[in-house]
Amino acid sequence: MANKRVIQRKRASGSVFAVAILVSFSILAPLLFFVGRGLYITTSTTSFDEQDISSSSIKQDLDWREKLALRNVKSLFSREVIDVIKASTNDLGPLSLDSFRKNNLSASWKFVGHDTEVDRISSSAKANEIAAEIVQKTSKGKERDSSDDGHYQFIDTPAKLARRQLREKKREKRAADLVKQDDAVNVKLENAAIERSKSVDSAVLGKYNIWRRENENENSDSTVRLVRDQIIMARVYLSIATMKNQTNLARELQNRLKESQHTLGDATSDSDLSRSAPEKIKAMGQVLSKAKEKLYDCKLVTGKLRAMLQTADEQVRSLKKQSTFLSQLAAKTIPNGIHCLSMRLTIDYYLLSPEERKFPKSENLENPKLYHYALFSDNVLAASVVVNSAIMNAKEPEKHVFHLVSDKLNFGAMNMWFLLNPPGKATIHIENVDEFRWLNSSYCPVLRQLESAAMKEYYFKSDHATTAGSSNLKYRNPKYLSMLNHLRFYLPQVYPKLDKILFLDDDIVVQKDLTGLWSVDLHGKVNGAVETCGESFHRFDKYLNFSNPHIARNFDPNACGWAYGMNVFDLKEWKKKDITGIYHKWQNMNEDRVLWKLGTLPPGLMTFYKLTYPLDKSWHVLGLGYNPSVDNRDIENAAVIHYNGNMKPWLELAMRKYRSYWSKYIKFDHPYIRDCKLSE
C-alpha cells in the first residue's frame, strides 16, 4: 500500500509538474518571443553602425508590450537563458514587411509550437503581401517609408489604407466646404453690414426712398436735391392720402410740404438754405416714413410718379418753346442803352446845319484803287466797333473806305456818331436804304413777297397752329423784313463804279489788317468765303429742301456750305455772270417757301453755287455767338471773329468770355455812352 501510495504520489507529482510546466510555457512563450525579438533588435543595432542608428531611437519604436515583456523577463531568467532565447530568434530579424518577404516565415516562428499559430501568421503574411501590392500600386512603387534615422516603418493593411484614404477625402471635402462656407458667410456679412448702414443713415436724416444718398458727397447742392426729392414724394403721398380719405395724414403732409417749399425757396446750393433746413428735412422724413407705412402701394406710387413725370415733361417742352421764342426776341431786340444812344444821336444830328452833316474825302468813294468795305446795319454801337477795329488794325488806314447803309430810323444816329468820332485817316460814307428808288417791289422779288398777305400772316399771326413754319421760330426773325439784310445781293447796283468790295456783317470784329484779301486770286469766281462744312453738317442739305425736284436736280446735297460775315466779291465777275438775276430767279420760285424757309444764306448758297472760292479759315472764325468751345488759339489767330448766333456781344445773353474781344473797341468814357449807361 505504501508503495502504491508512493507510486501514486510520484504520478500525481509528475502530472502536476507537467501541468505546471505546460502552464508556465504557455505564459512564458509569448514573453520569450517578444523578449527574443527585442533582444534581436537591441543586438542588431550594432550592424547598423554605418547608418548611425542609436539604441535610444530603436527603443522608441518598440511596442509597449515588448517593453513590458522585456522588463519582466529579465528578472526571471539568467543571462545564459536569455542568450539561448536570443540565439534561437536570430533568423527572425525585425518584424517588418521585408522580413516576411525575405525569410518567408523562418522556422523560428515555429517556436510557438502550435500549427494554428503558424497558419495565422502565414495568413497575416499573405495579407501584408496584398497590402504591399496595393501600396506599391497606389504609391507608384514606394513600398516602405524610411524615417530620418533609416528605420523602416510598418505599412497599414488594405482595410486601414482604405479607411485612411476615405478619411483624407472626407477631410479635403470638409475643408473645401468650410472655405466655400466662409466665403458665402463673408459676403452675407458684408451685405448685412451695408444694409444696416443704409438703414442707420435713413434713420438719422429721415430718408425714405430710392433717392437716398448711398455715399455722402461733396456736391454743393446735395441737400437742395434731397429737399426737392422729399417734396416730390410728399406730393405723391398727399394725393394717395386724399384718395384714401386719410385726412389727418393728408393735412400733416400738406403742412410739411409748405414748410419744405418755403425752406427751399429759390435756393440752388446748400449754402442758400436756412439754418433750420436740417430740422425741416428730418421732420419731413418722419412724416414720409409714416405715410409709407400706411399708404405705400407700389402700383399706386409708380402711377403717380409716372403721371408727374409726364406733366413735368410737357411743362419742359412748353417752357423750352417759350424760352426759344424769348431768346429769339431778346436777340433781335435793341437794348435800352443802344436805343438811348440812337435817339440822342438822332436828335443832335437833325440840329446840325446841312454843311455840318457832310463827311470829308468824298473823292475816295469811287476810287477802285482803294480798299472798299460794305457794311449794312441799323445798330450804331455795333457799326462803330466794326469800323474802329478795322482802322486800328490797318497798316494804311488812309487807303480804307467804309460804305455804310442804314435805315431811315438810324440814319441820323449813324451819321452823327461818325461825325463826332471820325475814323482817323480813313474815309466813311453813310447812305439811307429807303432812298434807293430803284429798290422797289417791281424790281426786287423779296420786297414784293414781304408785302404779300401770306407773308404778313406768317409774321404777324405766327401763334396759329396752322401757320406754315410755326414749328421753327428762328425763321420769323424780324431782320428778314428789312431790306438791309437782302441788300447784299445788289452790290453792283449800290456801288457801280467799284471792281472789288469786302462785305462785313455788323457782328464781327477785325483783329488784323485785311488788305491781303484784295490780292487773293478768286480764279474767276465771284465770292471769296470761308467754308463752314464739317464731316456731316453745314452742307447744302441742311439749308435746302432736296425733296423739291428743282433743288434735287440743280444742287449737290453734300456740297460744302460757306459763311456770310466776311466775303470778298469780285463785282466785275458778278456783272458778267448776272448774279443778281440768278438770285431773282430762285427768289421768285420760293414765294411759298417750298425751296427754303427764310434768310439770306440759303439763297446765297444757291446763287453762288460753284462760284465761291474757299478762303483760308484763319481769315474768318465763327461761332462766338453760340459756341462756348471755340478754341482760343483760333480766336487769337483770326483776322476776323464773328459773333454769329443769338448771343450778340451787345446783349446780356452774350458769353462773357468772348465779350472782351468786342468791348475793347468801345470808348465807354464817351459822353453819349456814359449818359446812356452803357458799360462793360
Side-chain angles (χ1 to χ4, degrees):
M1 291 295 295
N3 291 333
K4 290 181 179 179
R5 290 177 181 174
V6 172
I7 292 170
Q8 291 176 353
R9 190 179 296 115
K10 288 181 179 181
R11 290 178 179 175
S13 62
S15 61
V16 171
F17 179 74
V19 171
I21 291 174
L22 183 60
V23 172
S24 300
F25 185 79
S26 64
I27 294 174
L28 294 176
L31 295 176
L32 291 174
F33 167 72
F34 288 112
V35 170
R37 182 172 175 235
L39 292 174
Y40 172 79
I41 293 173
T42 304
T43 57
S44 64
T45 56
T46 58
S47 64
F48 293 105
D49 289 340
E50 295 85 354
Q51 302 179 17
D52 297 329
I53 300 176
S54 62
S55 60
S56 60
S57 63
I58 296 300
K59 288 181 180 180
Q60 290 177 358
D61 293 335
L62 294 176
D63 188 79
W64 65 275
R65 296 184 183 86
E66 296 176 2
K67 294 179 181 180
L68 181 61
L70 182 62
R71 186 167 55 250
N72 294 333
V73 171
K74 282 184 178 180
S75 62
L76 297 176
F77 297 98
S78 63
R79 180 156 183 94
E80 291 79 4
V81 175
I82 292 175
D83 291 339
V84 172
I85 296 171
K86 181 179 69 175
S88 64
T89 58
N90 278 338
D91 64 336
L92 182 61
L95 188 59
S96 66
L97 189 61
D98 288 342
S99 65
F100 282 113
R101 287 180 177 174
K102 292 178 180 179
N103 298 322
N104 194 19
L105 296 178
S106 62
S108 61
W109 275 99
K110 296 179 181 180
F111 176 78
V112 178
H114 297 280
D115 295 337
T116 58
E117 188 68 17
V118 173
D119 294 338
R120 185 183 63 79
I121 295 174
S122 298
S123 63
S124 177
K126 292 180 180 179
N128 286 334
E129 288 180 359
I130 295 172
E133 292 178 0
I134 295 174
V135 172
Q136 187 175 16
K137 292 179 180 179
T138 57
S139 61
K140 297 181 180 179
K142 295 182 179 180
E143 296 178 350
R144 57 189 178 183
D145 183 19
S146 176
S147 62
D148 292 339
D149 57 1
H151 182 67
Y152 294 97
Q153 304 294 329
F154 290 103
I155 296 178
D156 291 332
T157 62
K160 290 184 178 180
L161 182 63
R163 286 195 297 272
R164 178 179 297 166
Q165 291 176 349
L166 183 60
R167 284 196 300 273
E168 290 178 355
K169 290 181 180 179
K170 289 182 178 179
R171 193 177 296 113
E172 292 176 357
K173 183 178 179 182
R174 177 61 176 168
D177 293 340
L178 289 175
V179 170
K180 293 180 180 179
Q181 185 176 2
D182 290 342
D183 293 340
V185 169
N186 290 335
V187 172
K188 290 181 180 179
L189 291 176
E190 291 175 359
N191 293 335
I194 292 173
E195 293 299 325
R196 285 196 300 273
S197 67
K198 291 179 180 179
S199 62
V200 170
D201 188 81
S202 297
V204 171
L205 294 180
K207 299 174 190 174
Y208 51 90
N209 62 0
I210 60 173
W211 289 289
R212 177 172 55 238
R213 290 174 294 179
E214 302 297 339
N215 297 297
E216 296 298 330
N217 53 55
E218 299 179 357
N219 294 337
S220 60
D221 62 343
S222 57
T223 306
V224 171
R225 288 187 284 111
L226 176 60
V227 175
R228 289 173 180 166
D229 293 341
Q230 286 186 330
I231 290 174
I232 291 172
M233 291 307 299
R235 288 172 177 168
V236 171
Y237 284 124
L238 177 61
S239 176
I240 297 175
T242 304
M243 183 176 62
K244 293 187 176 182
N245 295 324
Q246 296 283 343
T247 56
N248 293 332
L249 184 57
R251 189 181 304 109
E252 190 173 1
L253 283 167
Q254 184 67 42
N255 294 334
R256 295 302 180 190
L257 183 59
K258 291 180 180 179
E259 291 179 357
S260 296
Q261 290 174 337
H262 179 72
T263 301
L264 181 62
D266 297 329
T268 58
S269 63
D270 295 350
S271 59
D272 298 332
L273 295 173
S274 62
R275 295 183 179 179
S276 62
E279 297 179 0
K280 303 297 183 184
I281 292 173
K282 186 175 181 180
M284 175 62 89
Q286 293 173 352
V287 175
L288 290 173
S289 298
K290 184 192 299 184
K292 181 179 179 181
E293 293 176 359
K294 293 183 178 181
L295 304 174
Y296 183 76
D297 184 321
C298 183
K299 187 175 181 180
L300 273 177
V301 171
T302 303
K304 293 293 183 182
L305 289 173
R306 186 179 293 110
M308 292 176 65
L309 180 61
Q310 292 175 351
T311 303
D313 188 48
E314 292 175 0
Q315 291 177 350
V316 167
R317 285 198 298 269
S318 175
L319 291 173
K320 186 177 180 180
K321 186 175 181 180
Q322 183 180 3
S323 175
T324 302
F325 174 78
L326 292 176
S327 65
Q328 293 289 336
L329 182 62
K332 308 312 170 187
T333 302
I334 300 297
N336 289 335
I338 296 178
H339 180 70
C340 166
L341 178 64
S342 179
M343 295 303 296
R344 290 176 62 89
L345 289 170
T346 300
I347 294 172
D348 291 344
Y349 173 76
Y350 287 107
L351 294 176
L352 297 176
S353 63
E355 292 77 13
E356 294 175 323
R357 299 178 185 178
K358 294 180 181 180
F359 288 95
K361 303 178 184 179
S362 59
E363 67 277 5
N364 294 334
L365 297 178
E366 296 181 351
N367 187 351
K369 296 181 180 180
L370 300 180
Y371 307 116
H372 295 266
Y373 299 83
L375 175 61
F376 308 145
S377 175
D378 58 359
N379 188 327
V380 176
L381 196 62
S384 70
V385 170
V386 175
V387 174
N388 290 343
S389 62
I391 296 301
M392 292 177 65
N393 291 286
K395 294 179 180 179
E396 298 176 302
E398 67 277 4
K399 294 183 179 181
H400 294 258
V401 181
F402 292 89
H403 301 268
L404 273 68
V405 179
S406 186
D407 56 14
K408 61 183 178 182
L409 292 176
N410 296 280
F411 174 74
M414 200 76 70
N415 275 275
M416 189 63 188
W417 176 264
F418 286 104
L419 286 171
L420 295 174
N421 305 279
K425 297 179 181 180
T427 303
I428 192 167
H429 178 64
I430 302 173
E431 296 180 271
N432 182 2
V433 67
D434 296 307
E435 294 180 357
F436 294 162
R437 301 303 178 187
W438 53 268
L439 195 63
N440 49 56
S441 58
S442 61
Y443 173 70
C444 180
V446 70
L447 276 177
R448 184 175 65 254
Q449 293 170 8
L450 290 174
E451 294 175 358
S452 66
M455 190 65 69
K456 292 179 181 179
E457 175 78 11
Y458 181 81
Y459 274 106
F460 301 108
K461 297 183 180 180
S462 59
D463 57 329
H464 293 177
T466 58
T467 303
S470 62
S471 61
N472 198 336
L473 294 174
K474 78 175 185 177
Y475 292 108
R476 297 193 191 89
N477 195 318
K479 73 179 181 180
Y480 300 134
L481 294 173
S482 172
M483 273 307 299
L484 288 175
N485 194 48
H486 297 271
L487 196 60
R488 65 192 68 190
F489 293 104
Y490 300 96
L491 290 176
Q493 287 80 2
V494 180
Y495 311 109
K497 301 291 183 68
L498 300 180
D499 297 333
K500 185 176 285 190
I501 196 167
L502 181 64
F503 172 79
L504 298 177
D505 272 343
D506 63 356
D507 55 353
I508 63 101
V509 174
V510 179
Q511 299 188 130
K512 293 182 180 180
D513 181 58
L514 301 180
T515 55
L517 289 170
W518 274 266
S519 61
V520 173
D521 185 4
L522 298 181
H523 299 278
K525 305 294 179 64
V526 179
N527 175 26
V530 172
E531 293 182 337
T532 57
C533 59
E535 294 181 358
S536 61
F537 56 94
H538 288 179
R539 297 185 182 272
F540 272 42
D541 59 352
K542 174 180 173 63
Y543 304 100
L544 305 178
N545 178 20
F546 276 86
S547 63
N548 187 282
H550 296 290
I551 299 295
R553 186 167 52 248
N554 291 280
F555 302 99
D556 179 6
N558 293 318
C560 189
W562 46 268
Y564 271 125
M566 189 211 73
N567 305 81
V568 179
F569 291 111
D570 187 336
L571 300 183
K572 286 185 177 181
E573 291 294 330
W574 184 305
K575 296 173 184 176
K576 289 180 182 179
K577 295 179 171 58
D578 190 19
I579 297 300
T580 304
I582 297 174
Y583 164 69
H584 284 175
K585 169 192 170 182
W586 291 113
Q587 189 69 51
N588 284 324
M589 294 176 63
N590 193 49
E591 186 169 357
D592 296 329
R593 296 180 302 280
V594 294
L595 304 184
W596 70 90
K597 292 188 178 179
L598 292 179
T600 56
L601 182 56
L605 295 176
M606 301 169 67
T607 301
F608 295 100
Y609 182 59
K610 295 184 179 181
L611 296 174
T612 300
Y613 178 80
L615 299 176
D616 187 271
K617 293 184 182 298
S618 63
W619 282 111
H620 186 191
V621 171
L622 300 99
L624 278 70
Y626 70 91
N627 184 6
S629 59
V630 179
D631 195 328
N632 287 333
R633 292 174 295 182
D634 294 339
I635 296 175
E636 297 294 337
N637 296 329
V640 171
I641 56 175
H642 194 172
Y643 292 84
N644 58 312
N646 289 333
M647 300 179 182
K648 302 300 183 185
W650 55 83
L651 300 175
E652 293 184 0
L653 297 174
M655 285 181 277
R656 297 297 177 184
K657 65 178 182 177
Y658 299 147
R659 196 172 189 272
S660 60
Y661 295 105
W662 182 83
S663 61
K664 67 181 180 180
Y665 293 104
I666 299 176
K667 297 179 181 180
F668 288 98
D669 58 347
H670 193 282
Y672 281 90
I673 293 178
R674 187 175 59 250
D675 292 345
C676 289
K677 299 180 181 180
L678 290 169
S679 61
E680 299 184 35

